[in-house]
């Protein structure tokens, strides 16, 4: 196998993935398993950097894995695992902590945003070093490519810097990875505030589509999406963010080009677009939920898939860690 290697992780925090997670990240995971030697993990170590509940974490980690399988990850064609099942992540992270400057880590914008929201006293050192754990996550697999959303670009840059530093200090050990960001679907916006990114941490869930919600709830959210006072259905993110977001969602869910959709809805109103998209959404999400539930109803199968995934991941991770520890002088 000489296919390029891809590595990506997704948080189990919210239970259900939202439409932005799916269209911005998970869909790419499914595509990349055809062209890459792809490793995907549910990052439960990252999930405890903020206040958490053990029972919810355990349940949500399984729900995340079930959704990845339901979305089309095939354990025969990729390696799917839970981060905490592979202890090498934490072991390599320590070395990477010792190679990262305090000032360098302090410049990570995601940390600054999250810690500003929480306040200094509630911010953990774990949250501060989270990007450095991500460095270890990526380098352990000698990944060529890291499929992420635009918001993660800075962390991939940090990974490249630290990998070069390690190689420069201790001799060639790590491959230098690059971010794989898909432009067209890079960002899905909130249905009620189409200038803000759809996010689980939005102040209200009215504009957020959770994939595991009742399909009729999602249909209703699409039908009440904020658009504009114009009537033309045209892709113009700057002047028509709401309509453009609906077109992006429609196009990516069905594989129909934006231009084709603009033509289809020429002379029709926003109501027609929303009604059709609501139907597309229900048709897509109904079997997705059913497949997710099937995995959750069969814990033995899910456990076996995840155990096999962890075994495949560890085979690679342990080899890299042994090389790195040897170079460091352990
Ligand atoms: P959130 O931003 O809701 O907290 P995460 O940070 O857990 O979600 O994101 C998991 C993955 O989904 C990341 O790769 C991220 O880039 C992607 N993602 C999150 N929100 C969106 C969005 N609105 N549009 C596109 N991709 C997104
Ligand atoms: Na994010």
């Amino acid at each position: 196998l000489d296919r390029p290697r891809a590595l990506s992780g997704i948080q189990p925090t919210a239970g259900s993935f939202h439409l932005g997670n799916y269209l911005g990240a998970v869909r790419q995971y499914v595509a990349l398993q055809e062209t890459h030697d792809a490793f995907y993990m549910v990052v439960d170590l990252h999930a405890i950097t903020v206040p958490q509940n053990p029972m919810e974490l355990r349940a949500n980690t399984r729900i995340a894995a079930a959704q990845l399988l339901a979305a089309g990850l095939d354990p025969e064609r990729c390696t799917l695992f839970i981060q905490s099942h592979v202890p090498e992540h934490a072991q390599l992270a320590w070395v990477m902590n010792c190679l990262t400057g305090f000032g360098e880590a302090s410049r990570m914008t995601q940390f600054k945003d999250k810690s500003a929201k929480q306040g200094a006293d509630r911010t953990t050192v774990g949250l501060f070093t989270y990007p450095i754990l991500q460095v270890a996550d990526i380098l352990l697999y000698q990944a060529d490519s890291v499929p992420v959303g635009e918001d993660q670009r800075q962390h991939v840059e940090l990974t490249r810097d630290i990998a070069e530093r390690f190689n420069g200090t201790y001799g060639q050990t790590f491959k230098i990875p690059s971010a794989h960001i898909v432009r067209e679907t890079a960002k899905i916006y909130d249905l009620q505030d189409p200038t803000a990114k759809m996010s689980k941490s939005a102040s209200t869930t009215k504009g957020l589509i959770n994939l595991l919600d009742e399909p009729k709830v999602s249909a209703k959210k699409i039908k009440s999406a904020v658009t504009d006072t114009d009537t033309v259905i045209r892709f113009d993110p700057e002047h028509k963010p709401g309509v453009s977001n609906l077109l992006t969602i429609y196009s990516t869910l069905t594989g129909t080009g934006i231009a084709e959709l603009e033509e289809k809805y020429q002379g029709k109103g926003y109501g027609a677009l929303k009604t059709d998209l609501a139907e597309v959404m229900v048709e897509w999400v109904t079997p997705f939920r059913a497949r997710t539930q099937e995995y959750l109803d069969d814990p033995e199968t899910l456990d076996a898939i995840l155990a096999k995934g962890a075994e495949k991941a560890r085979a690679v991770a342990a080899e890299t860690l042994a090389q790195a520890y040897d170079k460091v002088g352990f």
Side-chain angles (χ1 to χ4, degrees):
L1 257 182
D2 51 6
R3 294 197 286 180
R5 186 166 285 162
L7 178 285
S8 198
I10 194 154
Q11 290 239 25
T13 335
S16 179
F17 292 156
H18 61 69
L19 192 60
N21 297 144
Y22 176 69
L23 295 178
V26 176
R27 230 173 60 100
Q28 273 64 260
Y29 295 0
V30 178
L32 284 177
Q33 65 183 349
E34 309 303 333
T35 51
H36 286 65
D37 180 19
F39 286 70
Y40 300 120
M41 60 181 172
V42 179
V43 293
D44 55 351
L45 296 183
H46 288 279
I48 68 164
T49 56
V50 293
Q52 64 100 14
N53 171 303
M55 267 169 44
E56 281 173 22
L57 177 61
R58 193 170 285 121
N60 287 342
T61 299
R62 300 179 68 83
I63 293 171
Q67 288 176 98
L68 290 170
L69 292 163
L73 289 192
D74 175 355
E76 299 297 319
R77 284 183 291 166
C78 71
T79 304
L80 172 65
F81 64 101
I82 308 297
Q83 187 184 27
S84 65
H85 294 181
V86 180
E88 286 79 3
H89 289 261
Q91 292 175 286
L92 185 63
W94 178 252
V95 175
M96 298 312 175
N97 274 317
C98 298
L99 274 178
T100 307
F102 182 78
E104 190 176 31
S106 306
R107 285 192 290 274
M108 294 298 116
T109 59
Q110 290 231 353
F111 169 75
K112 287 197 275 189
D113 292 349
K114 287 189 186 174
S115 60
K117 271 189 210 153
Q118 295 189 348
D121 288 340
R122 294 187 62 223
T123 296
T124 67
V125 174
L127 186 69
F128 182 64
T129 62
Y130 165 123
I132 306 166
L133 177 57
Q134 233 179 327
V135 169
D137 294 340
I138 296 166
L139 297 183
L140 266 180
Y141 298 93
Q142 305 284 8
D144 300 282
S145 167
V146 188
V148 283
E150 187 61 49
D151 54 350
Q152 293 293 322
R153 186 189 286 282
Q154 194 187 26
H155 295 170
V156 181
E157 287 304 319
L158 178 70
T159 306
R160 294 166 60 90
D161 290 345
I162 308 262
E164 276 165 8
R165 193 170 307 155
F166 188 104
N167 290 346
T169 309
Y170 297 115
Q172 181 57 39
T173 308
F174 295 110
K175 190 168 265 181
I176 312 298
S178 30
H180 173 99
I181 295 170
V182 180
R183 291 264 157 256
E184 319 83 73
T185 58
K187 216 162 170 189
I188 301 298
Y189 295 88
D190 188 281
L191 293 175
Q192 287 298 314
D193 175 7
T195 58
K197 160 185 130 136
M198 185 178 284
S199 170
K200 60 174 178 279
S201 35
S203 55
T204 131
T205 58
K206 282 199 271 179
L208 175 77
I209 302 243
N210 276 318
L211 302 187
L212 297 182
D213 281 353
E214 282 288 338
K216 62 177 181 229
V217 171
S218 300
K220 206 169 157 201
K221 286 180 179 175
I222 287 172
K223 286 184 187 162
S224 38
V226 166
T227 46
D228 53 56
T229 53
D230 186 29
T231 54
V232 185
I233 295 175
R234 179 167 44 87
F235 187 78
D236 179 352
E238 197 186 327
H239 302 105
K240 301 171 74 68
V243 171
S244 302
N245 190 37
L246 294 177
L247 287 171
T248 302
I249 295 169
Y250 198 143
S251 168
T252 34
L253 278 178
T254 60
T256 317
I258 298 270
E260 205 178 314
L261 288 174
E262 286 174 332
E263 194 164 325
K264 180 174 173 188
Y265 288 99
Q266 208 171 24
K268 293 189 184 156
Y270 294 164
L273 173 67
K274 289 178 178 178
T275 304
D276 290 355
L277 179 56
E279 202 170 297
V280 162
M281 191 67 205
V282 169
E283 265 169 38
W284 183 80
V285 91
T286 302
F288 173 84
R289 290 173 85 232
R291 285 195 298 272
T292 302
Q293 196 55 51
E294 273 172 41
Y295 284 107
L296 294 173
D297 289 341
D298 183 1
E300 274 175 31
T301 300
L302 187 57
D303 284 342
I305 290 171
L306 295 174
K308 180 95 184 296
E311 196 185 313
K312 278 163 71 186
R314 277 200 89 174
V316 177
E319 192 184 322
T320 309
L321 183 76
Q323 284 170 17
Y325 270 24
D326 183 54
K327 294 265 172 67
V328 166
F330 293 160

